[in-house]
Amino acid sequence: MVLRSIERRLETLVEGVFARAFRSGLRPVELGRKLMREMDDHRSVGVSGRTVVPNRFEVQLGAEDAQGFAQVAASLVRELSDLVREHAREEGYSFMGPVAVTLVTEDGRRAGTFAVRGSFVEAGDGAGAGSLTMPGGERVILADLVTKVGRLPDCGVQIVDASVSRYHAEIRARGDGFVVVDLGSTNGTRVNGVRVYERELRDGDELAFGTVLVRFAAS
């Protein structure tokens, strides 16, 4: 299971040279499990009937633990954010905006204890969260109500490939999600291998613009 894979990565994150920093016994996987419980405990129903969960999380640590995690903070935040997205995918949850996890130091908190505070934060334009992972691995946030995909430089997502039309498709915010709309492209737009004119996007969908494959994430 994907969640177990991420939990294993969290368990091994501080092995070796970093293990000495964790005298309190606080482990990254404990933070991950608490994040998942925070999502489950605060789920709600969105305007379109989808189950929405918090997308911003503050992990409050004592000063000693915060110092211990400092050397791996960037990796830890990345792994915890991936865990949040994977848990949402497995449970069928949606987000109101992009996922963000921050580590903060709380004065007076004892070593080995922590708290997680989740909140619902909309994307800047009020639409749901969404992003595309491009073939090279870069992630494009769908921050606009309409994002054009095509070869031309004025496209929000420019794909320089002969199989992609100048204005190939649009990704449009709708409700708390997104739809992809083909613009009469020469080589078509596909979602999970099926050619479409218009299709609501789900987390993890594979989109093909011509022969170029990208991955949609609802966060």
Side-chain angles (χ1 to χ4, degrees):
M1 197 166 68
V2 177
L3 289 179
R4 293 289 176 256
S5 174
I6 293 179
E7 284 189 346
R8 284 195 296 271
R9 297 208 305 264
L10 287 169
E11 286 281 17
T12 59
L13 184 62
V14 295
E15 287 183 353
V17 296
F18 298 120
R20 295 189 300 273
F22 296 93
R23 293 185 294 274
S24 70
L26 181 60
R27 310 300 295 179
V29 70
E30 297 176 54
L31 308 182
R33 288 170 181 159
K34 179 62 175 174
L35 281 168
M36 290 189 289
R37 287 197 297 273
E38 184 77 3
M39 296 167 69
D40 295 338
D41 291 345
H42 293 88
R43 58 194 175 193
S44 184
V45 178
V47 295
S48 66
R50 295 179 179 177
T51 301
V52 294
V53 292
N55 57 295
R56 296 287 179 90
F57 300 90
E58 185 178 272
V59 180
Q60 300 169 350
L61 304 168
E64 182 178 336
D65 291 320
Q67 182 179 5
F69 281 122
Q71 297 180 76
V72 292
S75 296
L76 178 58
V77 165
R78 183 171 58 251
E79 296 288 1
L80 291 174
S81 299
D82 285 347
L83 181 63
V84 167
R85 296 185 186 99
E86 294 296 345
H87 186 56
R89 182 175 296 127
E90 291 206 346
E91 297 298 324
Y93 297 155
S94 297
F95 300 111
M96 297 176 65
V99 170
V101 177
T102 57
L103 307 179
V104 299
T105 303
E106 187 178 31
D107 293 336
R109 178 170 289 280
R110 297 193 321 274
T113 69
F114 69 98
V116 172
R117 299 286 182 264
S119 57
F120 297 83
V121 180
E122 287 188 339
D125 54 17
S131 66
L132 297 179
T133 300
M134 306 305 290
E138 64 272 28
R139 191 161 173 252
V140 178
I141 303 297
L142 300 172
D144 298 324
L145 291 177
V146 178
T147 302
K148 271 193 169 56
V149 180
R151 287 203 321 270
L152 295 185
D154 62 336
C155 291
V157 178
Q158 185 185 18
I159 303 176
V160 182
D161 187 275
S163 69
V164 177
S165 297
R166 292 180 299 171
Y167 294 115
H168 194 104
E170 287 181 345
I171 299 178
R172 302 171 184 172
R174 181 173 296 173
D176 57 3
F178 291 87
V179 297
V180 61
V181 179
D182 187 78
L183 298 178
S185 64
T186 301
N187 294 307
T189 299
R190 290 174 170 78
V191 177
N192 301 325
V194 178
R195 187 161 182 166
V196 299
Y197 166 69
E198 180 176 321
R199 174 71 61 84
E200 181 179 2
L201 295 175
R202 301 286 185 179
D203 188 59
D205 279 347
E206 182 184 73
L207 283 71
F209 302 110
T211 61
V212 178
L213 302 179
V214 304
R215 181 77 61 179
F216 172 78
S219 59

